[in-house]
Amino acid sequence: NDRVSPSALARRVFDALLPHDCLLCGALASSDAVCAECRDELPRLAAERCPVCALPSPGSQTCGLCLRAPPRFDATLALYAYEFPVDRMIQALKYQARLPLARFFGEQLAALAAPAADCLMPMPLHPLRLRERGFNQAVEIARPLARSWRLAIDARSARRAADTAPQADLALEARRRNVRGAFTCDIDLEGSHALVVDDVMTSGATLDELARVLKDRGAARVTNCVVARTLRE
């Protein structure tokens, strides 16, 4: 999953070498994708949120939903609400190959307190989707995290075995059915703390299914690290 197409690699080199405009306001942003002024205006999540699913929760207590039906993952680190302009930024990264945004998101996540994880696993893409897109956005977001938190990226041991339908238009239970059996993992994770990196957490069904597979392979703890969290209406 760590392969990058030649065109995506060329864009990465080009973007790293040349200064460019802020992707939000157009001001010169040096080597950053977003200028400091726009960065400070992005919709950060409330400070008080559930430590398990990252939804708002008074006193940062575990929310009622996670108490009633605990997910397979143990914790979620998240920065932004999935709303304008973060939603458009993530879509530009994924579908327009705006790779500087991946570095920007990864660097913003790296400013969080580093969890005591043993391995960093980007959310895998199915090979067909990877060939179509040319890169895995979760891998690109993970690179600055790996450097800052001194963790190796393992983008090969967990694989997406099924090319599932997009989750966006599915109801919650359909999302869970859609990703059931979608992942495999090749390594023994006995007693380890796995850190899973992804761009967006919506219902959490995909992250929950991957956490199930990692726990089945022996992981003692699974923490999600996501750029944005969709908030309930």
Side-chain angles (χ1 to χ4, degrees), residues 71 73 167 172 175 201-209 224 229:
F73 51 79
Q167 295 276 78
L172 177 59
R175 287 172 185 242
M201 180 177 180
T202 304
S203 69
T206 304
L207 288 158
D208 188 57
E209 178 63 15
N224 305 320
R229 181 65 163 103

Side-chain angles (χ1 to χ4, degrees), residues 105-125:
F105 287 139
E107 289 173 349
Q108 299 310 300
L109 285 169
L112 300 175
D118 299 297
C119 55
L120 193 159
M121 291 186 165
M123 174 63 69
L125 281 180

Side-chain angles (χ1 to χ4, degrees), residues 14-15 69 114 123 148 212:
F14 182 83
D15 289 325
M123 174 63 69
S148 180
R212 182 190 68 78

